[in-house]
Amino acid sequence: MSVSDGPVVVESDLELPLLHRGKVRDVYEVDADTLLMVASDRVSAFDVVMDRPVPRKGEVLTLITAWWLKQLDGRVPHHLLAVDPDAVVARHPSLAASRDAWARRAMLVRRTQPVLVECVVRGYISGSAWKEYSASGTLAGEPLPRGLRESDQLDPPIFSPATKAARGDHDENITFEQTRSILGDALAERLREASLEIYAHGRDVAAGRDIILADTKFEFGHDADGTLRLIDEVLTPDSSRFWPREHYAPGRSQPSLDKQPIRDWLETLDDWNKRPPPPRLSDEVVAAASQRYLDVFRRLTGVHLDHFHAPLFGVDL
Ligand SMILES: Nc1ncnc2c1ncn2[C@@H]1O[C@H](COP(=O)(O)OP(=O)(O)OP(=O)(O)O)[C@@H](O)[C@H]1O
Ligand SMILES: [Mg+2]
């Protein structure tokens, strides 16, 4: 079987305790300290999960995360234990039987107690930040210079945390003051410092590929020893806005390197209110979205997904 013949996965179904099924990821307990995070091919737009999967998407999200985390080794503690399927099986031989269902789309990670604040960093003003600024001249409650245009650069980048919404809700932006009172000063400041540092690394690497990392969201958690670790997906097209430099022009929203074909198509519909149930995606829209994920993978890592094998790229951890 060639790598590109892997199954399309809407919902994984492994014989392990399922701890959580999010919009995209299925999280299983492997043992008390270890989770298997399986990225499905589900796609959400406007926070609604679409009715058809996007082939290869789960693989792209998982392998991009692993590629970044390898670069962050030694800079920031993170949760990844193994992503190369052989390395995963070597640690947990019982996973060999279900290998085809998770290989390349799953990461074996250290289990943590997640910090309940999403650590957003914005280097450009877009999305909900643009909405807030347009309405009140602020971002995360702090005043910003007047006269910014949509998609203008924010220099220096701004830490703009959010509380994690319950299922079906949108995350809510909070001020740094609120973050301090939720988490305590010391943790709030560590999260801000770590988030800005990881963002800067991602921004610089992406810039070398003519990609603007407009903003991104990190999550952190405490492991059993109390170590604060970067968790979840990292600098993926689902957790970040990646803008191709060649199309960048402030004063409007930017096309992004991900599920833009789906968003664009949904915006053409007059009769969908952006709440479930979603409209049925056409074959063309699904194919275009899948191609986008393959394109962003290649543009970022420099390698076609079919030619990316974790050990060769030093991410066998
Ligand atoms: N190392 C880890 N330890 C514990 N939980 C983790 C770890 N890494 C990620 N998680 C959690 O796993 C879940 C991943 O699922 P997913 O992102 O699909 O759903 P979600 O964040 O709950 O909801 P949404 O669909 O809005 O993203 C998240 O709740 C995330 O906080
Ligand atoms: Mg999530």
Side-chain angles (χ1 to χ4, degrees):
M1 185 168 89
S2 99
V3 281
S4 55
D5 294 335
V8 173
V9 171
V10 178
E11 269 189 10
S12 67
D13 183 20
L14 304 184
E15 283 180 17
L16 289 170
L18 178 67
L19 296 185
H20 180 87
R21 208 190 285 283
K23 284 200 284 291
V24 173
R25 261 88 44 79
D26 299 338
V27 182
Y28 295 90
E29 178 181 84
V30 176
D31 63 32
D33 303 316
T34 318
L35 304 176
L36 188 73
M37 292 196 49
V38 181
S40 73
D41 296 314
R42 298 191 290 274
V43 63
S44 69
F46 304 109
D47 281 341
V48 176
V49 179
M50 296 292 114
D51 71 334
R52 294 181 65 185
V54 171
R56 311 295 305 268
K57 176 176 181 274
E59 205 182 329
V60 164
L61 296 186
T62 293
L63 295 180
I64 284 183
T65 296
W67 181 79
W68 285 114
L69 287 178
K70 183 65 188 172
Q71 297 169 37
L72 293 170
D73 269 350
R75 290 177 183 235
V76 50
H78 60 70
H79 67 159
L80 183 58
L81 295 168
V83 70
D84 173 45
D86 292 335
V88 172
V89 169
R91 280 170 174 269
H92 291 283
S94 62
L95 290 168
S98 56
R99 180 177 172 131
D100 286 349
W102 54 261
R104 293 170 68 89
R105 64 174 63 250
M107 302 191 295
L108 200 63
V109 303
R110 241 181 256 267
R111 185 179 204 159
T112 69
Q113 194 63 45
V115 174
L116 294 177
V117 167
E118 313 228 308
C119 295
V120 179
V121 179
R122 300 176 186 276
Y124 290 75
I125 188 157
S126 178
S128 65
W130 172 246
K131 257 192 210 142
E132 179 185 332
Y133 176 79
S134 316
S136 61
T138 57
L139 171 52
E142 312 288 338
L144 284 184
R146 297 164 139 244
L148 290 176
R149 297 162 297 175
E150 183 172 12
S151 309
D152 262 337
Q153 188 171 8
L154 298 168
D155 191 17
I158 296 175
F159 179 61
S160 93
T163 51
K164 226 172 141 52
R167 188 178 278 255
D169 255 342
H170 298 287
D171 295 345
E172 191 187 327
N173 294 338
I174 54 174
T175 63
F176 191 59
E177 273 320 303
Q178 287 171 299
T179 309
R180 290 160 84 120
S181 65
I182 297 169
L183 303 177
D185 291 359
L187 180 55
E189 270 150 35
R190 275 181 76 194
L191 293 176
R192 176 167 65 178
E193 194 184 326
S195 300
L196 289 170
E197 186 186 328
I198 305 162
Y199 172 81
H201 173 78
R203 174 198 58 202
D204 295 348
V205 170
R209 276 76 167 167
D210 284 326
I211 296 171
I212 295 172
L213 176 60
D215 56 36
T216 193
K217 181 211 72 180
F218 302 116
E219 291 189 37
F220 293 85
H222 289 104
D223 70 13
D225 302 332
T227 304
L228 184 68
R229 292 181 181 275
L230 178 62
I231 63 169
D232 209 54
E233 62 182 332
V234 174
L235 295 166
T236 70
D238 274 17
S239 65
S240 322
R241 285 191 174 84
F242 290 127
W243 294 339
R245 176 162 308 279
E246 65 274 18
H247 297 306
Y248 174 67
R252 56 164 169 78
S253 65
Q254 310 298 310
S256 64
L257 285 170
D258 56 0
K259 43 193 163 183
Q260 194 72 32
I262 295 180
R263 285 203 209 96
D264 289 349
W265 180 75
L266 291 171
E267 293 283 17
T268 66
L269 306 178
D270 298 325
D271 55 349
W272 186 53
N273 60 3
K274 303 200 170 121
R275 302 206 161 268
R280 180 146 187 93
L281 300 179
S282 68
D283 291 351
E284 292 73 41
V285 169
V286 169
S290 180
Q291 190 57 49
R292 278 298 176 99
Y293 279 95
L294 292 175
D295 290 347
V296 71
F297 184 88
R298 179 165 201 161
R299 186 157 169 168
L300 198 55
T301 65
V303 199
H304 191 285
L305 185 59
D306 287 346
H307 301 142
F308 186 94
H309 298 289
L312 292 179
F313 292 91
V315 290
D316 56 330
L317 295 160

